[in-house]
Amino acid sequence: MFYRCVKKWCGRCYGNFKWFVQSYPPLVLFTLSISLFAVLLTGLAIYVSKNTALNKVDVSQDWNLFFESFTGLEFCVIQDNSSLFIPTTINRKTMGSSGVRTLSVLMSLMIHPTKDFVSVPHSVMHLSASMNAKYIGLKGNDGKYRLNVTTIVPYHFNISSCSNIPLQGCEAVELNACVELTGPQDMFPTSSRKPKSCPMASLSGVDYWAKMNWQMVDLDSVYYCRSRTMIEMRHEYDASLFQPLKKPHRSVIERHLLHMSFFLYSFVAVVVIYSLTFNHAKQRFLQSENPIYDS
């Protein structure tokens, strides 16, 4: 008797589910998509909880992210004076109240010189710029600070590397140089892991002084730097500066992912229970008696 009741109930559930799938295919596809997304969130939550090598994506705490932000900028030589050096001044109002910090790091410079730039004889360049911190990813009040960027590049450019065709520049030059960053203490990452420093070259041998401006790659006008000498700065990724995501932060991410997946699982369960238990006999009868339901 019990077996017959279970068999009858299962048959009715199967009939209801079959009718539901045939009658509401868009809802069925949507439910399947929600189910897959819920499974994905669950797997992601497990990955976050088990993986201890997740990087903390915060430019205010990760040195690699801080240096990587310079790859999104293009520096342009806008003013030069080979006989007079006017240093970039430090405005205390834009440097915050935490004190000024100077950091020198080794970076790779890709220089795209113009013919006018190369035609000026020089072997050691002093390049400097002053920019808003928001352009390197800092937000809020920290983004209002000023960052001074200075580098001394010992390189002798050759005019023979330039093209004779008008509007075409010279061959790009890639070299490593020490770049000095000066700004408020609060602007630099707070990580306990410090980047390797490098000694700045002496000013005694500098025979070319220039100031630079900057633009964001693909956001500002691409023609701003095309008529000037353009410089790209890149810092090699340093694994020793890796800032892992701490366990309390991973727990918060995991909890949010599980809450979202639980909500999606609940929605799927409601739809499945409705498709199995709701009696669709009346709807099937109306469809068979009234052809308008089939249209």
Side-chain angles (χ1 to χ4, degrees), residues 61-67 101 103 188-189 191 193 195 241:
Q61 299 187 23
D62 190 289
W63 282 104
N64 283 316
L65 291 177
F66 179 82
F67 293 132
R101 178 179 181 180
L103 175 69
F188 293 95
S191 173
R193 306 181 182 186
L241 299 177

Side-chain angles (χ1 to χ4, degrees), residues 209-220:
W209 312 88
K211 288 188 177 182
M212 301 183 296
N213 203 344
W214 71 95
Q215 71 174 22
M216 300 186 69
V217 179
D218 297 332
L219 292 181
D220 296 338

Side-chain angles (χ1 to χ4, degrees), residues 63 67 101-107 177-181 188 193-201 235-236 238 240-241:
W63 282 104
F67 293 132
R101 178 179 181 180
T102 299
L103 175 69
S104 301
V105 293
L106 187 65
M107 286 192 178
C178 195
V179 179
E180 185 179 78
L181 306 175
F188 293 95
R193 306 181 182 186
K194 306 301 180 183
K196 299 178 182 178
S197 60
C198 61
M200 287 288 291
H235 184 271
E236 185 178 357
D238 190 351
S240 63
L241 299 177

Side-chain angles (χ1 to χ4, degrees), residues 35-223:
S35 303
L36 293 177
F37 187 58
V39 173
L40 177 63
L41 290 179
T42 304
L44 187 59
I46 297 175
Y47 174 79
V48 170
S49 63
K50 301 296 183 181
N51 191 357
T52 59
L54 291 177
N55 189 16
K56 191 170 186 178
V57 187
D58 189 351
V59 69
S60 65
Q61 299 187 23
D62 190 289
W63 282 104
N64 283 316
L65 291 177
F66 179 82
F67 293 132
E68 186 180 353
S69 60
F70 284 89
T71 61
L73 299 175
E74 294 176 342
F75 292 88
C76 315
V77 177
I78 59 173
Q79 176 184 353
D80 63 90
N81 190 325
S82 301
S83 60
L84 178 63
F85 172 51
I86 303 177
T88 304
T89 58
I90 297 177
N91 189 342
R92 298 293 173 176
K93 294 182 179 180
T94 60
M95 285 295 176
S97 58
S98 60
V100 177
R101 178 179 181 180
T102 299
L103 175 69
S104 301
V105 293
L106 187 65
M107 286 192 178
S108 174
L109 305 184
M110 178 66 73
I111 304 177
H112 302 269
T114 61
K115 193 171 184 179
D116 294 337
F117 177 82
V118 175
S119 61
V120 178
H122 57 274
S123 57
V124 181
M125 299 181 297
H126 183 283
L127 306 174
S128 62
S130 180
M131 56 184 296
N132 287 330
K134 66 179 182 180
Y135 291 104
I136 57 173
L138 296 181
K139 301 178 181 179
N141 293 329
D142 292 342
K144 300 179 182 179
Y145 293 148
R146 302 291 295 183
L147 174 67
N148 292 344
V149 181
T150 305
T151 182
I152 298 178
V153 182
Y155 188 82
H156 180 72
F157 291 91
N158 193 343
I159 191 65
S160 61
S161 63
C162 301
S163 174
N164 294 324
I165 302 176
L167 301 180
Q168 288 194 8
C170 308
E171 294 182 1
V173 176
E174 184 176 6
L175 48 85
N176 294 328
C178 195
V179 179
E180 185 179 78
L181 306 175
T182 303
Q185 179 70 31
D186 295 340
M187 192 181 65
F188 293 95
T190 58
S191 173
S192 57
R193 306 181 182 186
K194 306 301 180 183
K196 299 178 182 178
S197 60
C198 61
M200 287 288 291
S202 175
L203 296 175
S204 59
V206 175
D207 54 6
Y208 186 92
W209 312 88
K211 288 188 177 182
M212 301 183 296
N213 203 344
W214 71 95
Q215 71 174 22
M216 300 186 69
V217 179
D218 297 332
L219 292 181
D220 296 338
S221 173
V222 296
Y223 299 102

